[in-house]
């Protein structure tokens, strides 16, 4: 039997790559083929040079391909980000991706629908199994040992109190998802609600679950939406990450036109310090996404809105993602799970590495921002 071994030059290159990665990982307490649950266990020697050349994009792709494993991906990412290791392993493909994000508008009306088709239209049954009863695909608000469902209910109650929702208020939910917040506002607060989404699967689900509410397949830029205003309150939860820097002006101008002069607007969004998205997440999970920075938010709201309240509870996204992963793991283990191994590894990598990024508190954060057009007379009272 003939055994195919790598050429000596390839073996030397692999060894050099391994030493480089070992030296980078040692300060964060991560080893190659070590015994700790956050250590990397390499199954394919191509892993080293591939990751060093292509950065975080290659890290995720090689995991999907089974080149390496890690028992606690969340802890691996937490340790790496706490020491800014991602800034030291970028790779040319990642640099190319970041340059393209800055130069092109990847969130036009045409491109924006890709995320609905690739991600949100994956299947309502899939998301029911992962998200739980409330079908909230955004950060929950955990208090006093609450379960995921209880924490999502608490988040919606928090949003309602921040917006001071009252019976008879006309409410617009931009990016309404499966309709959870819209139903909460209508059933608990007596509001008249319009929910808009660009996902056909989400729209169908929302209409079935709340047949008496108005849900429509509309983009925030659609001229039809302008004709449906004004609204006393506007909310957007977990949608702004898909707007993109080149469209922030259009988004906030649209909200400004649709909101009554004494109304309130609540924006619930992930943000970070560098106004970008991870290349792997962008390619495989949320195509054409772009996380805003605090500078972006301040610049594009200035002159349009008064910031009444800013609430960062990004640490709760760690708990939310770990709860989603627990739900997903139970579903994945069932014999009738319909997706192949590569999908399983992709989804596991997404949930656990994202959890680690919020745990690290160095890159990704979650903010709820309450805004008014002219300032609330007498002052706005923050609620928690």
């Amino acid at each position: 039997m003939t055994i195919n071994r790598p050429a000596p030059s390839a073996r030397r290159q692999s060894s050099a790559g391994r030493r480089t990665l070992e030296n980078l990982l040692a300060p964060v307490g991560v080893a190659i083929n070590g015994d700790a649950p956050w250590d990397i266990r390499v199954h394919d020697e191509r892993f080293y040079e591939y990751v060093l050349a292509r950065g975080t994009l290659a890290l995720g792709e090689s995991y999907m391909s089974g080149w390496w494993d890690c028992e606690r991906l969340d802890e691996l990412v937490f340790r790496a980000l706490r020491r800014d290791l991602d800034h030291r392993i970028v790779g040319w493909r990642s640099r190319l991706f970041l340059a393209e994000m800055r130069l092109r508008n990847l969130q036009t009306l045409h491109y924006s629908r890709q995320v609905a088709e690739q991600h949100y239209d994956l299947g309502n049954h899939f998301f029911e199994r992962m998200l739980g009863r409330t079908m909230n695909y955004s950060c929950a608000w955990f208090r006093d040992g609450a379960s995921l469902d209880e924490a999502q209910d608490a988040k919606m109650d928090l949003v309602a109190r921040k917006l001071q929702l009252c019976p008879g208020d006309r409410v617009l939910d931009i990016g309404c998802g499966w309709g959870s917040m819209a139903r909460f506002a209508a059933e608990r607060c007596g509001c008249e609600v319009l929910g808009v989404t660009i996902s056909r699967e989400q729209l169908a689900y929302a209409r079935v679950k709340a047949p008496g509410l108005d849900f429509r397949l509309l983009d925030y830029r659609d001229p039809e939406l302008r004709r449906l205003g004004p609204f006393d309150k506007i909310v957007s939860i977990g949608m702004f990450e898909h707007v993109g820097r080149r469209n922030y002006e259009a988004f906030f101008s649209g909200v400004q036109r649709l909101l009554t002069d004494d109304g309130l607007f609540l924006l619930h969004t992930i943000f970070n310090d560098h106004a970008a998205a991870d290349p792997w997440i962008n390619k495989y999970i949320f195509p054409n996404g772009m996380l805003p920075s605090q500078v972006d938010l301040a610049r594009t709201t200035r002159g349009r809105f008064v910031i009444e309240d800013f609430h960062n509870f990004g640490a709760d996204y760690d708990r939310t993602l770990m709860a989603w992963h627990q739900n997903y793991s139970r579903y994945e283990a069932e014999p009738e799970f319909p997706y192949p191994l590569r999908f399983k590894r992709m989804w596991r990598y997404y949930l656990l590495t994202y959890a680690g990024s919020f745990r690290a508190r160095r890159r990704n954060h979650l903010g709820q921002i309450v805004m008014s057009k002219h300032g609330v007379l007498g002052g706005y009272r923050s609620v928690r």
Side-chain angles (χ1 to χ4, degrees):
M1 183 177 65
T2 302
I3 299 175
N4 294 319
R5 294 187 174 88
S9 60
R11 290 199 299 271
R12 286 195 296 272
Q13 190 177 40
S14 173
S15 298
R18 173 170 178 162
R19 286 194 298 273
T20 300
L21 273 180
E22 284 177 330
N23 291 336
L24 287 169
L25 292 168
V28 306
V30 175
I32 301 290
N33 298 329
D35 297 325
W38 49 80
D39 287 338
I40 293 172
R41 295 165 182 82
V42 177
H43 310 306
D44 191 311
E45 295 294 308
R46 291 174 292 178
F47 164 78
Y48 304 110
E49 293 300 325
Y50 190 60
V51 170
L52 288 172
R54 302 187 178 206
T56 58
L57 176 61
L59 190 68
E61 289 180 335
S62 58
Y63 181 83
M64 290 165 61
S65 298
W67 290 9
W68 63 281
D69 274 301
C70 176
E71 183 181 340
R72 289 293 304 275
L73 281 166
D74 53 315
E75 275 294 301
L76 168 65
V77 170
F78 162 71
R79 288 166 174 265
L81 293 186
R82 283 298 289 182
R83 299 292 292 271
D84 297 328
L85 189 59
D86 57 322
H87 288 170
R88 303 181 64 188
I89 307 176
V90 180
W92 67 270
R93 283 284 298 275
S94 295
R95 288 190 174 93
L96 186 63
F97 163 78
L98 293 172
E100 184 181 25
M101 282 190 75
R102 294 186 178 97
L103 294 173
R104 294 179 59 196
N105 184 356
L106 297 176
Q107 298 82 22
T108 62
L109 276 167
H110 170 71
Y111 286 122
S112 66
R113 300 195 185 280
Q114 289 181 1
V115 71
E117 294 165 0
Q118 179 175 322
H119 190 84
Y120 295 108
D121 289 346
L122 188 61
N124 291 331
H125 178 70
F126 177 89
F127 285 107
E128 281 181 318
R129 296 300 304 272
M130 186 179 88
L131 302 179
R133 169 181 57 79
T134 69
M135 286 293 277
N136 268 263
Y137 199 11
S138 56
C139 182
W141 197 48
F142 286 89
R143 289 297 176 270
D144 302 324
S147 68
L148 174 63
D149 287 341
E150 290 168 340
Q152 292 289 14
D153 283 334
K155 186 267 299 294
M156 292 188 288
D157 177 71
L158 180 69
V159 169
R161 289 186 289 119
K162 286 181 176 181
L163 282 172
Q164 301 172 3
L165 295 185
C166 298
D169 277 348
R170 293 199 73 226
V171 179
L172 171 65
D173 187 348
I174 302 175
C176 65
W178 290 271
S180 303
M181 188 65 224
R183 293 197 303 274
F184 190 98
E187 295 169 3
R188 303 280 188 95
C189 307
C191 300
E192 176 189 340
V193 187
L194 169 63
V196 298
T197 176
I198 61 171
S199 165
R200 296 184 185 278
E201 288 289 318
Q202 289 182 339
L203 179 69
Y205 185 96
R207 284 176 169 173
V208 167
K209 292 293 183 178
L213 295 186
D214 190 1
F215 294 104
R216 305 194 188 192
L217 194 70
L218 290 175
D219 184 271
Y220 69 91
R221 292 162 285 199
D222 197 305
E224 181 183 342
L225 187 57
R226 300 176 189 175
R227 296 192 290 269
L228 297 171
F231 297 90
D232 303 299
K233 311 288 169 60
I234 300 178
V235 61
S236 183
I237 300 176
M239 173 270 179
F240 193 71
E241 298 89 338
H242 304 299
V243 171
R245 180 186 289 170
R246 291 175 179 266
N247 305 299
Y248 293 160
E249 297 277 347
F251 179 88
F252 285 113
S253 293
V255 171
Q256 186 183 29
R257 284 193 300 268
L258 288 166
L259 189 65
T260 59
D261 283 345
D262 59 349
L264 291 173
F265 168 47
L266 184 144
L267 180 68
H268 172 119
T269 184
I270 300 170
F271 65 95
N272 61 24
D273 59 354
H274 54 287
D278 177 80
W280 184 86
I281 288 284
N282 193 279
K283 181 175 181 179
Y284 291 98
I285 306 299
F286 297 115
N288 307 322
M290 176 182 281
L291 301 182
S293 69
Q294 293 181 71
V295 173
D296 290 328
L297 293 169
R299 177 179 56 82
T300 50
T301 56
R302 185 177 60 194
R304 292 189 176 91
F305 295 101
V306 174
I307 303 296
E308 301 286 359
D309 186 48
F310 192 108
H311 183 189
N312 182 344
F313 57 99
D316 282 17
Y317 226 147
D318 174 16
R319 295 180 65 181
T320 304
L321 283 152
M322 294 304 290
W324 288 344
H325 177 258
Q326 188 177 38
N327 288 344
Y328 166 75
S329 296
R330 284 194 291 266
Y331 179 35
E332 182 197 78
E334 295 175 2
E336 62 271 21
F337 186 77
Y339 302 97
L341 177 60
R342 186 172 175 84
F343 179 94
K344 292 180 181 180
R345 294 181 68 87
M346 177 185 76
W347 211 260
R348 193 181 310 146
Y349 187 85
Y350 151 52
L351 293 173
L352 290 176
T353 58
Y354 234 38
S357 76
F358 282 97
R359 190 177 309 160
R361 308 287 290 146
R362 297 280 290 170
R363 295 289 178 273
N364 292 338
H365 305 276
L366 186 284
Q368 283 189 353
I369 311 166
V370 179
M371 308 177 215
S372 65
K373 288 172 73 170
H374 305 296
V376 175
L377 290 176
Y380 176 86
R381 297 293 182 91
S382 298
V383 295
R384 297 290 184 266

